[in-house]
Amino acid sequence: MRLTTTPKQDGFSFPAEFEPVREVWLAWPERKDNWRNDAIPAQQTFANVANAIADVVQVTVAVASGHYERARTLLHSSIKLVEMDYNDSWMRDIGPTVVVNALGERRGVSWKFNAWGGEFNGLYDDWRADDQVAESVCDVAGMDHYRAPIVLEGGSIHTDGEGTLYTTEECLLSPGRNPQLERAEIEHNLCEYLGAEKIVWLPKGLYNDETDGHVDNLIHVIGPAKVVLSWTDDPFDPQFKLSREAYAALASQRDAKGRTIEVIKIPVPGPLYYTQEEAEGIESSDGMVRQEGERLSASYANFLMVNDHVFLPLLDEQFDRVAIEILEQALPGFDIVGIPTREVLLGGGNIHCITQQIPA
């Protein structure tokens, strides 16, 4: 059922990803203008991710009817498949943001979705099916939902579950999202629909991120006042300046509880680039341009935390082990599960972008 109140009015707020999770959702990839070679390599990688998560928690995968049999073949038998319409498979951005109250009740927030920028710089023209996914997931999961009045994607926000919300100016203030709203009005909506008390604004996201700098590709909130930040020490890398601007922003702000924010640096992979073979395997389209030699927006911060596990993208043999060791030290008691996910990266994101958790 769609509610006419707001989560804040009803005593609901957005819990942290490191709090207990009941279920994780994904959507099966199929777009030929985003996933190479008829999406077959991406489908195998999505299945590897889903199967790994299914060892820890219930997994549900949305799938178009024509792909049901292949998905069923590749996915563990414990994974639920739900036939659903959608335009592309970024469940973090099209699925519901789930809020909870003190009694442990769950409700979904359905944001307006316009393919990361609408007519201004969106990645495809028709996003009507994507815009219905959050409501459909809530119906399947048996949750009431709110329809938020602003354009927003789940990858553009991170929370500590204690009133602090992290985001980037590059994304939320971009002309393709909510150009009619001032920053203060956007903050008001974030507080109303997520129960946030303090917005920590970072200037920009990761270099060459076609989502206009989603925060989940730059940082990951791993605990109260504790953040992992993508980092490079190469002064010739365009990410060098962006990471330092983000670090300065984190260092100069306090969280909702007045705490200093601890920043743990994690290296960016590579830099990594599209190969000729990878770029040629994708059908050309106006919105998504994939060219040989184009820099990939690769990040180890784009992981998923589920019930004392971290599902980490493995992207670069030079840095994979370093990233694992940093997270093992930062998150004692967590199992770090590395999964090779270059095929997801080629589509423009990673493990966090293709998953959406429903809190316990």
Side-chain angles (χ1 to χ4, degrees), residues 17 33 97 103 126 133 145 151 155 168 196 264 270 278 295 303 332 338:
E17 198 175 300
D33 62 351
T97 301
L103 301 174
D126 182 2
V133 167
H145 72 277
V151 175
T168 66
I264 296 156
E278 288 166 347
R295 171 82 173 257
F303 55 80

Side-chain angles (χ1 to χ4, degrees), residues 25-193:
W25 277 71
L26 297 88
W28 197 247
E30 58 180 78
R31 274 189 88 100
K32 295 178 182 180
D33 62 351
N34 195 39
W35 306 106
R36 70 188 184 116
N37 302 353
D38 295 332
I40 288 168
Q43 288 169 0
Q44 182 62 64
T45 302
F46 272 61
N48 294 343
V49 171
N51 291 339
I53 298 170
D55 288 339
V56 173
V57 76
Q58 175 62 51
V59 172
T60 302
V61 177
V63 62
S65 56
H67 291 263
Y68 188 96
E69 291 306 322
R70 175 164 167 79
R72 187 69 280 170
T73 302
L74 292 177
L75 294 167
H76 282 176
S77 58
S78 67
I79 293 176
K80 293 184 204 165
L81 278 178
V82 177
E83 289 193 22
M84 195 176 288
D85 291 329
Y86 50 90
N87 301 107
D88 203 0
S89 46
W90 303 105
M91 187 55 82
R92 175 67 48 183
D93 293 345
I94 61 178
T97 301
V98 180
V99 292
V100 299
N101 67 5
L103 301 174
E105 296 170 318
R106 287 175 291 266
R107 292 177 179 176
V109 178
S110 168
W111 309 98
K112 290 183 178 179
F113 181 80
N114 70 354
W116 309 276
E119 293 178 5
F120 178 74
N121 66 340
L123 298 185
Y124 40 81
D125 295 333
D126 182 2
W127 53 78
R128 286 171 295 183
D130 279 344
D131 195 37
Q132 301 299 314
V133 167
E135 189 172 327
S136 299
V137 170
C138 289
D139 288 345
V140 172
M143 295 185 294
D144 291 339
H145 72 277
Y146 305 90
R147 177 64 166 177
I150 63 170
V151 175
L152 186 137
E153 307 94 33
S156 69
I157 51 174
H158 254 308
T159 185
D160 66 354
E162 297 185 1
T164 313
L165 194 80
Y166 296 79
T167 191
T168 66
E169 295 169 347
E170 180 184 4
C171 183
L172 262 59
L173 305 184
S174 67
R177 302 301 198 286
N178 302 286
Q180 77 285 5
L181 297 180
E182 298 291 332
R183 175 166 157 155
E185 295 171 298
I186 292 172
E187 283 203 2
H188 172 75
N189 278 292
L190 295 174
C191 293
E192 282 294 323
Y193 284 88

Side-chain angles (χ1 to χ4, degrees), residues 55-358:
D55 288 339
V56 173
V57 76
Q58 175 62 51
V59 172
T60 302
V61 177
V63 62
S65 56
H67 291 263
Y68 188 96
E69 291 306 322
R70 175 164 167 79
R72 187 69 280 170
T73 302
L74 292 177
L75 294 167
H76 282 176
S77 58
S78 67
I79 293 176
K80 293 184 204 165
L81 278 178
V82 177
E83 289 193 22
M84 195 176 288
D85 291 329
Y86 50 90
N87 301 107
D88 203 0
S89 46
W90 303 105
M91 187 55 82
R92 175 67 48 183
D93 293 345
I94 61 178
T97 301
V98 180
V99 292
V100 299
N101 67 5
L103 301 174
E105 296 170 318
R106 287 175 291 266
R107 292 177 179 176
V109 178
S110 168
W111 309 98
K112 290 183 178 179
F113 181 80
N114 70 354
W116 309 276
E119 293 178 5
F120 178 74
N121 66 340
L123 298 185
Y124 40 81
D125 295 333
D126 182 2
W127 53 78
R128 286 171 295 183
D130 279 344
D131 195 37
Q132 301 299 314
V133 167
E135 189 172 327
S136 299
V137 170
C138 289
D139 288 345
V140 172
M143 295 185 294
D144 291 339
H145 72 277
Y146 305 90
R147 177 64 166 177
I150 63 170
V151 175
L152 186 137
E153 307 94 33
S156 69
I157 51 174
H158 254 308
T159 185
D160 66 354
E162 297 185 1
T164 313
L165 194 80
Y166 296 79
T167 191
T168 66
E169 295 169 347
E170 180 184 4
C171 183
L172 262 59
L173 305 184
S174 67
R177 302 301 198 286
N178 302 286
Q180 77 285 5
L181 297 180
E182 298 291 332
R183 175 166 157 155
E185 295 171 298
I186 292 172
E187 283 203 2
H188 172 75
N189 278 292
L190 295 174
C191 293
E192 282 294 323
Y193 284 88
L194 296 169
E197 298 159 23
K198 169 75 183 282
I199 314 299
V200 173
W201 291 92
L202 306 180
K204 292 182 177 176
L206 208 67
Y207 177 69
N208 209 35
D209 184 345
E210 64 189 1
T211 65
D212 300 315
H214 270 189
V215 77
D216 72 346
N217 218 21
L218 177 72
I219 69 164
H220 206 114
V221 183
I222 62 168
K226 194 172 183 182
V227 169
V228 169
L229 170 64
S230 298
W231 193 261
T232 178
D233 286 317
D234 177 4
F236 300 104
D237 189 325
Q239 186 57 42
F240 182 88
K241 179 170 178 277
L242 299 176
S243 291
R244 275 150 187 78
E245 288 173 351
Y247 186 88
L250 290 164
S252 67
Q253 298 178 76
R254 296 285 187 270
D255 73 1
K257 304 288 187 193
R259 296 172 293 212
T260 303
I261 300 162
E262 180 187 355
V263 180
I264 296 156
K265 299 169 184 172
I266 197 165
V268 289
L272 306 176
Y273 304 90
Y274 283 100
T275 67
Q276 179 182 354
E277 180 190 1
E278 288 166 347
E280 288 177 352
I282 299 164
E283 287 187 6
S284 62
S285 70
D286 293 335
M288 292 178 282
V289 180
R290 308 279 184 249
Q291 294 176 326
E292 178 188 358
E294 183 189 347
R295 171 82 173 257
L296 293 161
S297 195
S299 169
Y300 290 118
N302 205 307
F303 55 80
L304 178 73
M305 303 177 79
V306 182
N307 299 345
D308 299 330
H309 290 71
V310 167
F311 295 94
L312 177 73
L314 299 182
L315 298 165
D316 181 356
E317 288 181 358
Q318 184 184 353
F319 290 115
D320 288 346
R321 188 66 236 166
V322 176
I324 290 169
E325 288 171 359
I326 287 169
L327 291 174
E328 284 175 342
Q329 193 168 353
L331 291 164
F334 276 71
D335 285 336
I336 313 299
V337 182
I339 308 168
T341 54
R342 184 176 173 94
E343 293 298 333
V344 184
L345 175 61
L346 295 176
N350 228 292
I351 292 175
H352 197 257
C353 303
I354 64 172
T355 54
Q356 181 59 278
Q357 74 277 357
I358 295 181

